[in-house]
């Protein structure tokens, strides 16, 4: 039997590290179990919340360790890999994920094998190669997978208490058990600050499969609340939106997700509300039309406010996302953002400071956006600050030139001042999510 462990890094950046269920490992394990049955022993090595000095006590011996790396957790993943290597030198280490795709050469110096592209199609081949002692250094899948060809991810590989938890929705649903789901991949927009590697056509799971997965979560784990992790939980295509939302509605759950600020009509909002949508996060990003144009956000602020009103009319709460420090930002962004918040009157706000994530156009072409330097300390690439200590200041991972293509570059001091000022007001008003 081949013993495989999927490593979940410590995630010391999250206030609630168990709030996000790790769907990628669950998809991969479900596929492997279906294909290989009891030839494999599959387990998740869940290090979330484990203090760095204690990690060594949580590392069981396996033949193969798998990893999926985003940029902020890459340093932790490398450290865990190093520890495992020193304790179990014969084991193999295979990694995929966004950061590996962006930096394949450097990743190959750390791991025995790397996976480029979506992993579902190729993981069976990789494990067959391991069983045949013929593991290659690089596996590449250039095709977009058909989401409907794969089963929903079984949650049983996680500790029972890590599958669903209370507090995913507030108000009357606060004590209901909830969990994360992902029913689509891709985004048809191309915001310049976004590190989404899934640009292109949006692929949705078929409504029947959406219903099946939710019914499984309800039956096995008592789930009544969902957080949709899809880039756009309300599809922009009306026909798809209708069948997608109705399939969720058939299951009688309550849910939250993310939505574009424009382009969704009231009849679809009504269907979303009837389908149990309770809250939507909306990426406004900036209240400066100039900034929105530079980052290619393709939203209209007036229409965004109208959309928020429509959502409220149908009983859907809004959580607005803003990023301070984007290219072209004016010095008075804090007061302008506050004016927007006062008018829109959202249920909550998430305020972050811009981070030029690898994979985004801004990271790839900093000069074009007036950035003088980018700090490659990946540990600082996080978007949530002040989780443990409200006085914690965001780490600035970049600096603007004094003169940018849009005039005088905003200074890091000013960005932090705007952030602190606005964050303090939001905290006092209990608007922080
Ligand atoms: S920020 Fe949102 S809308 Fe823009 S490209 Fe990324 S996922 Fe798509």
């Amino acid at each position: 039997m081949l013993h495989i462990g999927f490593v979940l890094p410590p995630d010391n950046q999250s206030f609630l590290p168990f709030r996000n269920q790790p769907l990628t490992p669950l998809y991969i394990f479900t596929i492997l179990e279906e294909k290989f049955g009891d030839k494999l022993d599959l387990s998740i090595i869940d290090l979330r919340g484990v203090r760095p000095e204690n990690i060594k006590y949580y590392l069981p011996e396996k033949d193969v360790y798998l990893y999926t790396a985003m940029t902020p957790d890459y340093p932790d993943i490398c450290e865990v890999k190093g520890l495992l290597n020193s304790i179990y030198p014969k084991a193999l280490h295979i990694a995929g994920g966004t950061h590996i795709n962006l930096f394949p050469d450097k990743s190959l110096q750390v791991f025995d094998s790397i996976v480029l592209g979506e992993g579902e199609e190729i993981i069976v081949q990789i494990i067959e190669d391991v069983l045949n002692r013929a593991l290659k250094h690089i596996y590449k899948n250039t095709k977009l997978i058909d989401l409907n060809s794969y089963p929903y991810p079984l949650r049983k590989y996680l500790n029972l208490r890590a599958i669903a938890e209370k507090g995913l929705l507030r108000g009357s649903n606060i004590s209901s058990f909830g969990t994360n789901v992902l029913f689509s991949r891709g985004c048809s927009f191309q915001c310049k600050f976004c590190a989404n590697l899934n640009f292109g056509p949006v692929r949705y799971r078929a409504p029947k499969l959406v219903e099946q997965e939710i019914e499984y979560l309800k039956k096995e784990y008592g789930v009544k609340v969902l957080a949709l992790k899809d880039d756009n939980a309300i599809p922009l295509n009306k026909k798809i939106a209708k069948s997608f939302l109705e399939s969720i509605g058939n299951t009688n759950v309550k849910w939250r997700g993310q939505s574009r600020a424009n382009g969704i009509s009231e009849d679809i909002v009504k269907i979303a509300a009837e389908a149990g949508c309770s809250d939507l996060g909306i990426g406004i990003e900036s209240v400066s039309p100039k900034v929105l144009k530079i980052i290619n956000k393709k939203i209209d602020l007036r229409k965004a406010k109208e959309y928020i009103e429509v959502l409220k009319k149908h009983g859907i709460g809004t959580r607005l996302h803003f990023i301070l420090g984007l290219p072209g930002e004016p010095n008075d962004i804090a007061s302008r953002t506050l004016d927007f918040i006062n008018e829109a009157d959202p249920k909550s706000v998430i305020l972050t400071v811009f981070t030029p994530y690898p994979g985004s156009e801004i990271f790839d072409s900093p000069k074009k956006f007036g950035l003088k330097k980018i700090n490659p300390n990946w540990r600082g690439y996080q978007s949530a600050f002040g989780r443990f200590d409200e006085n914690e200041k965001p780490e600035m991972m970049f600096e603007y030139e004094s003169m940018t293509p849009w005039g005088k570059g905003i200074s890091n001091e000013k960005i932090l001042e705007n952030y602190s000022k606005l964050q303090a007001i939001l905290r006092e008003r209990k608007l922080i999510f």
Side-chain angles (χ1 to χ4, degrees), residues 186-196 198-199 230-232 258 260 283 285 295-297 323:
C187 175
S188 47
F189 294 89
Q190 297 207 344
C191 303
K192 311 267 185 206
F193 66 90
C194 182
N196 191 345
N198 279 317
F199 290 136
D230 307 72
D231 287 332
N232 293 300
Q258 305 184 97
R260 285 283 300 175
E285 325 303 4
I295 63 169
N296 196 32
K297 185 67 194 176
I323 305 172

Side-chain angles (χ1 to χ4, degrees), residues 362-381:
I362 300 182
F363 181 89
D364 287 341
S365 311
K367 292 248 170 309
K368 190 170 141 193
F369 294 92
L371 270 70
K372 183 160 70 181
K373 60 174 184 188
I374 288 184
N375 183 340
N377 168 21
W378 305 132
R379 271 192 208 286
Y381 280 65

Side-chain angles (χ1 to χ4, degrees), residues 19 62 66 115 210 261 351 406 433:
R19 178 51 64 82
K62 300 287 168 190
L66 303 178
V115 186
V210 168
L351 185 68
W406 301 279
F433 181 66

Side-chain angles (χ1 to χ4, degrees), residues 23-89:
L23 294 174
T24 302
L26 303 180
Y27 269 109
I28 296 293
F29 272 10
T30 305
I31 291 167
L32 289 178
E33 183 170 332
E34 200 178 70
K35 174 73 186 167
F36 294 95
D38 54 15
K39 267 196 202 162
L40 304 181
D41 158 48
L42 304 168
S43 56
I44 300 256
I45 302 171
D46 198 343
L47 302 174
R48 293 174 296 167
V50 178
R51 293 174 66 84
E53 63 273 24
N54 293 333
I55 288 174
K56 57 181 177 287
Y57 304 115
Y58 289 81
L59 301 176
E61 182 170 14
K62 300 287 168 190
D63 302 306
V64 179
Y65 295 95
L66 303 178
Y67 310 81
T68 177
M70 306 276 283
T71 293
D73 48 41
Y74 187 72
D76 283 342
I77 283 181
C78 290
E79 268 181 30
V80 174
K81 190 261 163 186
L83 265 174
L84 283 167
N85 212 31
S86 64
I87 310 172
Y88 313 114

